[in-house]
Amino acid sequence: MELKLGLALLAAIFLLLAQAQTDNELAGTNWILQQYGTEDALQTVLENAPITLIIDTEGQRVSGSASCNSYSGGLTVEGSSFSVGMPISTEMACTEPIMQQEQAFFNALRFCHDI
């Protein structure tokens, strides 16, 4: 189940990013996750806890909000492919639904990083 969750979450976040062909198309783009989960059990991101991804190709970084905490990590772009390094984040606590959503996001990033 965790593998499916990770794959579905990453697919939801990065589906449109994969269409970008060059650094210039990714530069300065901001993404907001709308849904996550498995194909047959998608969950809408909590309205008061957005998950965002900001691409900085010049600085080779990604950053954003994971729901409760801010995060950042390395970015490598090669042609039409890219990878995100394991992010670091702040360590604030929020309500349980927000923390569960954030944990799902970070679990998916860890899965992506470990491939």
Side-chain angles (χ1 to χ4, degrees):
M1 179 68 172
E2 184 175 321
L3 174 61
K4 284 185 179 179
L5 174 65
L7 291 175
L9 180 58
L10 288 174
I13 296 169
F14 299 118
L15 179 62
L16 293 175
L17 286 177
Q19 296 174 359
Q21 297 299 309
T22 67
D23 288 6
N24 292 334
E25 290 180 28
L26 289 174
T29 58
N30 300 307
W31 302 86
I32 300 172
L33 183 66
Q34 300 296 311
Q35 296 178 317
Y36 66 97
T38 61
E39 248 184 81
D40 56 340
L42 286 175
Q43 296 181 49
T44 300
V45 172
L46 299 169
E47 188 175 322
N48 61 338
I51 296 177
T52 62
L53 177 75
I54 301 166
I55 306 284
D56 175 6
T57 55
E58 188 174 311
Q60 298 181 322
R61 308 286 304 157
V62 295
S63 61
S65 170
S67 287
C68 180
N69 290 286
S70 299
Y71 71 93
S72 66
L75 171 71
T76 302
V77 179
E78 295 178 10
S80 62
S81 299
F82 70 95
S83 61
V84 176
M86 181 53 67
I88 58 171
S89 72
T90 57
E91 295 184 0
M92 295 173 23
C94 293
T95 62
E96 191 60 28
I98 293 173
M99 295 308 295
Q100 288 175 349
Q101 176 176 276
E102 180 170 281
Q103 190 59 51
F105 175 70
F106 281 136
N107 284 345
L109 286 181
R110 274 193 279 286
F111 173 76
C112 179
H113 179 71
D114 291 341
I115 291 179

